[in-house]
Amino acid sequence: MRLVVFYLILLVAQGFLSSLLAPIPAPDLFLLAVLTLLWRIQPWQLVLVAYGVGLLQDVVGSGVLGAHAFALAAAALAGSMVRAQLSNTGVLERVLVVFVASLGKWAVMLGVVVWLSGGALGLGRAAMVGLVESVLTVAAGVLVLPWSAALLERSRVLQKELL
């Protein structure tokens, strides 16, 4: 039950922060929600979950259906590759995982922007949005990931031994 409340808080906080920081992009709490499961489930499962969360983000945010889904799946894949090399013990490891996942997300998102616009018209502005959002997402990840790790440790849900 605590995990459900945690993810609902992230969903509400995403909407609240997006409205509060209106001209500036808010941190991507959907990405952080996916990364909370990084140390709990297999990488292929994480990519599927990330795609589903991205579809939810597209539906809730009235975006291009599938754009965030594809980008979050790439972010999960990038985060999984870094996670395989690190442990979940320190702040720097978590910051690095969030940073690389954010880079993976925006590499795909910039490709989607180019594909949908038919050229590199909005690429500079999208890159600036990506930079600001990535910095804020890394900062938010310092707070959210330890909180989720504590919640997941207390619950018996999503233990690797049970999956």
Side-chain angles (χ1 to χ4, degrees), residues 54-55 57-59 61-70 109 112 115-116:
L55 280 177
Q57 185 176 7
D58 288 332
V59 169
S62 300
V64 175
L65 197 61
H68 285 99
F70 189 47
M109 191 61 81
V112 169
W115 179 52
L116 290 175

Side-chain angles (χ1 to χ4, degrees), residues 4-61:
V4 172
V5 171
F6 171 74
Y7 289 117
L8 285 176
I9 287 172
L10 285 182
L11 179 67
V12 170
Q14 180 70 54
F16 179 72
L17 286 175
S18 295
S19 298
L20 185 66
L21 302 173
I24 300 171
D28 191 358
L29 299 181
F30 287 98
L31 173 63
L32 293 178
V34 168
L35 292 180
T36 60
L37 301 173
L38 189 62
W39 287 272
R40 288 295 189 164
I41 60 177
Q42 298 295 325
W44 68 270
Q45 293 169 331
L46 185 70
V47 170
L48 290 177
V49 167
Y51 192 83
V53 169
L55 280 177
L56 175 71
Q57 185 176 7
D58 288 332
V59 169
V60 169

Side-chain angles (χ1 to χ4, degrees), residues 5 32 50 66 98 133 141 145:
V5 171
L32 293 178
V98 174
E133 181 188 278
L145 291 180

Side-chain angles (χ1 to χ4, degrees), residues 114-130:
V114 168
W115 179 52
L116 290 175
S117 67
L121 287 173
L123 201 55
R125 183 170 178 184
M128 288 305 297
V129 168

